[in-house]
């Protein structure tokens, strides 16, 4: 069957299509049907089945005689180490860890926060939670204590599993002090923490609250897999929205297993046993789906890479890893290739390695600019497939169904909708638009298995953020169009979310931090175009009357405040003091116009602008930061 037939087979019988895909999963009790309508536009998948994620990702491969196959390769150019874990070893390690967690009181439904760098223990912690039916929430290491505290207060974890430190090139990230700071800041306190001590930094453990990763597993009874309902949350992953409060995306167990398993062959075109590599971080959705769960569920070997595309030690690292481990399919963010291209424009490093085993490269996380795609194609000689998805969906909305049929690539488009997604372009009033017309990208409900059923503790916010604007649809927050051949084009976000080096950040969240500076009366944060990272945040602050301290002192404090409150990952380094912000007569800040000026693009003077002269002041401030050059 070709793509068109597969897509039509889903469309004509979604229930049959997903029940068939569910056959590839081991169930303790098979679901009686695929889709469950909860009512009022909420849906769940495989709700009455019983299964366990860890069983499907680990144990069943051992039972099937594949225990000797490598499950995880930890390749860390930062520490200069390489470590392989077979499926049998992984099962034993995870069962023991789960047993130790259970001995300390962790049970089905309890939340566990995981705050760890790119070490296999991060995946083991996720799988140990899944084994018990505990709900994990992984927090990215580049977030500050305050962001961790916000997540602790929302998820209310019984335990937190962390490492003593993370390693960034030339810098040790002191996880334990960040964790202690977060627990001090949070209202909810976990019962205990488990600390994986790394040799680069051994953290101080607080007697009675902090347990050593190895010590607390000593002599415990390994835990078996606990069957959970298909609609039991496998995890919560927080992502940025319009405001500073992150949204807790929930992933249900059954749909997650079925959908991710389907993607490995049909999108990434790998067979069980093949090596698959997603160069991301376990703190992001790409890391959840494609470093941890999907490759393991499908019986692949996954790579946990602790390094950067450049500088660890050079721009040949990607090709070295692909060649050394015989990677079949490789997934990264366009920004990583832009970094490699900057250091090695001619792709000379590629020639030093044998990457003949690699079949295709997949890009996601941000817009893939044509220059980067063309460069990657030229230097590797491999097909480059852009694909578009979100934390909310957990897997591809539109991409190349390479395992079904390699359709022609159209540069600038992440290709076509995957089965399960009825993608439509809508106008402001919610009417479908014609091919080639730009509008809001929406997906007709229900969303497919594996996507978010709602937000953690925030059903109203779920409805408001995704369901209420276009009744009957899920609003993606992206704008774009579909061409005559059914290829999708993603043009921009329709909200205040920006994308910095493939990381999703909220300008609203940064504005909340800036507004907390005692000298700041008013502020705006915009995302300006950046050659390497795609976008960079830029802040404008208006000072409280009477403040006459040097401006650069205040902007430095603002930069530090965002780093301390949100974290280094915000990459907030550009900030200017201005007298006034451009606004409409009703007081709305004209952020989109400011972005156009910063990027030296043509713009139409907004008809509702209150005082056009302010734009000249903004332009001067932008020029002072090296922008608005034209
Ligand atoms: N823990 C702690 N700090 C982290 C971190 C982590 N896991 N990840 C990043 N940071 C820090 C960086 O050290 C940097 O700090 P600095 O301001 O002191 O330099 C800051 O956060 C910004 O990081 P980043 O935006 O990633 O920039 P960079 O200059 O370190 O690296 C790239 C640039 C392009 C090499 C890097 O962004 C990259 O590899 N991107 C790949 C994108 C990706 O994997 N996206 C995931 C979604 S698919
Ligand atoms: P995240 O939830 O962090 O994965 O970010 C999701 C958002 O990143 C999407 O809503 C898009 O705005 C953007 N994005 C992800 N993949 C792509 C892509 N292939 N092309 C364009 N934008 C993308």
């Amino acid at each position: 069957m070709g793509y068109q037939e597969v897509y039509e087979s889903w469309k004509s019988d979604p229930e049959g299509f997903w029940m068939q895909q569910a056959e590839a999963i081991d169930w303790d009790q098979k679901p009686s049907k695929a889709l469950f309508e909860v009512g009022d536009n909420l849906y769940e998948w495989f709700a009455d089945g019983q299964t366990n994620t860890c069983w499907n990702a680990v144990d069943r491969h051992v039972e099937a005689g594949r225990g000797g196959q490598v499950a995880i390769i930890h390749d860390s150019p930062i520490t200069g180490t390489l470590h392989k874990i077979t499926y049998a070893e992984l099962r034993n390690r995870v069962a023991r860890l789960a047993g130790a967690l259970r001995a300390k009181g962790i049970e089905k439904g309890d939340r566990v926060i995981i705050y760890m760098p790119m070490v296999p223990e991060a995946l083991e912690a996720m799988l140990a939670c899944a084994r018990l039916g505990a709900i994990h929430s992984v927090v990215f290491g580049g977030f500050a204590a305050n962001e961790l505290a916000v997540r602790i207060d929302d998820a209310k974890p019984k335990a937190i599993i962390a490492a003593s430190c993370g390693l960034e090139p030339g810098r040790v990230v002191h996880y334990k002090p960040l964790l202690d700071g977060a627990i001090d800041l949070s209202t909810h306190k976990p019962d205990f923490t488990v600390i994986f001590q790394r040799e680069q930094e051994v953290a101080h453990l607080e007697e009675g609250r902090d347990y050593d990763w190895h010590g607390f597993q000593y002599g415990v009874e390994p835990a078996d897999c606990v069957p959970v309902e298909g609609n039991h949350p496998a995890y919560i992953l927080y992502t940025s929205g319009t405001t500073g409060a992150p949204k807790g995306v929930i992933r249900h167990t059954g749909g997650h297993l079925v959908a991710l398993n389907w993607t490995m062959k049909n999108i990434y075109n790998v067979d069980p046993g093949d090596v698959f590599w997603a160069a991301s971080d376990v703190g992001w959705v790409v890391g959840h789906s494609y470093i941890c769960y999907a490759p393991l569920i499908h019986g692949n070997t996954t790579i946990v890479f602790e390094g950067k595309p450049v500088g660890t030690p050079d721009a040949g690292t990607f090709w070295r890893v692909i060649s050394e481990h015989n990677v079949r399919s490789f997934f990264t963010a366009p920004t990583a290739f832009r970094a490699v291209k900057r250091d090695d424009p001619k792709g000379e490093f590629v020639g030093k390695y044998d990457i003949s085993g690699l079949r295709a490269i997949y890009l996601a996380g941000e817009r893939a600019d044509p220059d980067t795609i063309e460069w990657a194609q030229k230097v590797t000689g491999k097909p480059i497939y852009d694909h578009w998805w979100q934390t909310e969906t957990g897997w591809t909305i539109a991409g190349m169904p390479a395992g079904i049929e390699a359709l022609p690539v159209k540069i600038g488009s992440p290709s076509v909708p995957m089965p399960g997604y009825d993608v439509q372009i809508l106008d402001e009033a919610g009417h479908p638009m014609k091919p080639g017309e730009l509008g809001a990208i929406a997906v007709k409900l229900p969303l497919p298995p594996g996507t978010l059923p709602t937000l953690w503790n925030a059903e109203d916010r779920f409805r408001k953020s995704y369901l209420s604007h276009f009744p009957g649809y899920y609003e993606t927050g992206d704008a774009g169009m579909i061409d005559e051949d059914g290829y999708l084009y993603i043009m921009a976000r329709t909200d205040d979310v920006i994308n910095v080096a493939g990381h999703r950040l909220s300008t609203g969240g940064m504005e909340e931090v800036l507004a907390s500076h005692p000298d700041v009366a008013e502020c705006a944060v915009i995302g300006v175009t950046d050659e390497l990272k795609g976008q960079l945040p830029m802040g404008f602050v208006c000072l409280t009357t009477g403040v006459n301290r040097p401006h650069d002192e205040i902007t430095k404090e603002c930069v530090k405040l965002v780093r301390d409150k949100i974290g280094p990952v915000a990459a907030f380094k550009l900030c200017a003091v201005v007298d006034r912000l451009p606004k409409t007569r009703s007081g709305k800040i004209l952020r989109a116009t400011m972005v156009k000026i910063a990027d030296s693009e043509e713009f139409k003077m907004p008809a509702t602008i209150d005082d056009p002269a302010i734009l000249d002041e903004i332009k001067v401030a932008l020029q002072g930061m090296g922008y608005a050059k034209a």
Side-chain angles (χ1 to χ4, degrees), residues 448-566:
T451 57
L452 84 172
T454 183
L455 293 174
W456 182 255
N457 280 339
E459 193 181 304
D460 281 353
R461 190 172 182 199
F462 173 70
R463 290 182 186 284
K464 232 170 112 205
S465 306
Y466 305 106
L467 305 184
S468 59
H469 194 159
F470 302 118
Y473 292 87
Y474 163 81
E475 183 184 6
T476 64
D478 284 306
M481 60 166 189
I482 298 179
D483 73 8
E484 298 281 353
D485 300 324
Y487 280 60
L488 196 63
Y489 291 77
I490 316 297
M491 313 305 278
R493 287 288 302 189
T494 56
D495 56 13
D496 295 329
V497 165
I498 58 169
N499 200 310
V500 180
H503 307 138
R504 175 166 159 182
L505 298 166
S506 158
T507 54
M510 293 187 220
E511 288 178 2
E512 285 170 27
V513 173
L514 294 181
S516 73
H517 188 290
D519 295 345
V520 171
E522 203 181 17
C523 64
V525 174
I526 59 172
V528 298
T529 300
D530 181 71
E531 221 174 277
L532 175 66
K533 297 194 181 184
Q535 283 183 298
L536 277 181
M538 179 186 280
F540 295 86
V541 294
C542 303
L543 303 184
T544 312
T545 317
V547 173
N548 52 13
R549 296 165 54 214
H551 287 181
D552 67 336
E553 221 172 74
I554 295 172
T555 54
K556 272 193 197 127
E557 287 166 9
C558 287
V559 166
K560 183 169 180 311
L561 198 61
V562 174
R563 194 178 171 94
D564 289 349
K565 283 271 165 70
I566 297 179

Side-chain angles (χ1 to χ4, degrees), residues 115-118 140-143 166-169 171 173 175 178 279-281 284-287 307-310 318 331-340 342 364-366 389 499-504 532-533 536 563 567-573:
Y115 187 54
M116 296 184 93
M118 287 297 287
F140 178 62
F143 282 123
L167 302 166
E168 283 292 287
R171 178 164 70 95
V173 185
Y175 275 42
L178 286 166
S280 177
D281 188 286
W284 306 115
V285 71
V286 175
K308 300 274 169 177
V310 292
F318 277 175
F331 180 164
T332 190
T335 191
F337 273 161
R338 287 196 295 270
V340 175
R342 193 171 64 173
E366 57 172 328
W389 50 294
N499 200 310
V500 180
H503 307 138
R504 175 166 159 182
L532 175 66
K533 297 194 181 184
L536 277 181
R563 194 178 171 94
V569 68
F572 182 83
K573 289 178 180 159

Side-chain angles (χ1 to χ4, degrees), residues 418-440:
M418 291 298 101
Y421 293 98
D422 180 352
V423 181
Q424 306 214 1
I425 308 296
L426 304 180
D427 67 14
E428 212 13 65
H431 303 121
M433 299 179 79
K434 292 201 199 80
E437 288 180 352
L438 194 65

Side-chain angles (χ1 to χ4, degrees), residues 255-398:
H256 184 228
L257 286 166
V258 173
L260 288 190
N261 187 65
W262 182 86
T263 63
M264 289 308 286
K265 178 64 192 169
N266 293 286
I267 298 176
Y268 301 104
N269 199 15
V270 286
D271 294 309
D274 286 344
V275 182
F276 177 85
W277 179 26
S280 177
D281 188 286
V282 282
W284 306 115
V285 71
V286 175
H288 279 63
S289 294
Y290 291 107
I291 296 174
C292 184
Y293 289 114
L296 296 179
I297 294 164
H298 194 249
N300 291 99
T301 298
T302 186
I303 298 182
V304 174
F305 172 72
E306 191 180 31
K308 300 274 169 177
V310 292
T312 58
D314 53 39
T317 305
F318 277 175
W319 322 124
R320 195 266 303 158
V321 173
I322 289 168
S323 139
E324 199 170 319
H325 306 305
N326 195 22
V327 173
R328 291 276 178 209
S329 289
F330 174 49
F331 180 164
T332 190
T335 191
F337 273 161
R338 287 196 295 270
V340 175
K341 178 176 157 212
R342 193 171 64 173
D343 279 17
D344 181 21
K346 294 197 187 125
E348 285 164 358
F349 273 108
V350 185
K352 298 187 180 170
Y353 300 96
D354 173 9
I355 60 163
S356 56
L358 182 71
R359 291 210 200 97
I361 296 172
Y362 295 78
L363 298 179
E366 57 172 328
R367 200 180 95 82
D369 54 291
D371 278 358
T372 302
I373 296 187
E374 278 159 11
W375 174 85
Q377 207 157 30
K378 192 165 134 236
V379 303
T380 64
K382 308 286 175 187
I384 313 292
Y385 298 138
D386 181 16
H387 58 325
W388 168 65
W389 50 294
Q390 315 178 304
T391 304
E392 288 84 345
T393 66
W395 61 283
T396 309
I397 309 171

